[in-house]
Amino acid sequence: VAADPTAVTERGRSAGRALGDDPVSALQTLFEQATADIAAHGDDAPCATLAGVMRLADFLPSRIFELVVHTDDLRRALDLPGEATVGARVVALAFGAGLAGESERYAAALRGLTGRAPLPAGYSVV
């Protein structure tokens, strides 16, 4: 269900609608609440996710990865300038490298990142 394109699309639309008439203020409020929640819990705090329960410290990098990737998608689609912070980019790349390292395709990722060979057509770690 989590990867079903129709379900993913509907979750995105629902999330957009939930932001209401002032999405910037709604996002600021969500950011402040998330920051407070993270500060109030230790790394080992359990998080309920679509993939099951996991430690907060293991879950957060996946959320940073998603935010960096999808914000970049939006920026490119809307032709807007800007980039994620260096810290967010490092976490996103490390998370992506971890995904590559869990598969037999890690060597292609390593060669592509270091300029030793182009990535194969259609290559993805997700």
Side-chain angles (χ1 to χ4, degrees):
V1 170
D4 174 56
T6 302
V8 171
T9 298
E10 185 49 39
R11 281 198 312 273
R13 288 179 177 153
S14 292
R17 287 189 296 270
L19 295 175
D21 294 331
D22 187 359
V24 173
S25 291
L27 287 170
Q28 183 64 41
T29 299
L30 289 170
F31 171 78
E32 290 166 2
Q33 183 62 54
T35 302
D37 288 346
I38 290 166
H41 295 86
D43 288 350
D44 290 332
C47 284
T49 76
L50 289 174
V53 177
M54 56 188 355
R55 291 176 349 116
L56 177 62
D58 296 327
F59 180 62
L60 288 178
S62 72
R63 301 305 82 211
I64 294 168
F65 177 84
E66 293 287 342
L67 285 169
V68 170
V69 168
H70 295 301
T71 300
D72 183 62
D73 290 341
L74 288 169
R75 281 191 182 117
R76 290 184 314 141
L78 299 170
D79 198 27
L80 296 173
E83 292 185 15
T85 65
V86 171
R89 292 190 313 242
V90 168
V91 170
L93 283 168
F95 186 82
L99 293 175
E102 291 178 1
S103 79
E104 68 283 351
R105 299 182 318 259
Y106 81 93
L110 186 61
R111 290 178 193 127
L113 283 170
T114 58
R116 284 165 171 74
L119 290 173
Y123 180 88
S124 174
V125 297
V126 292

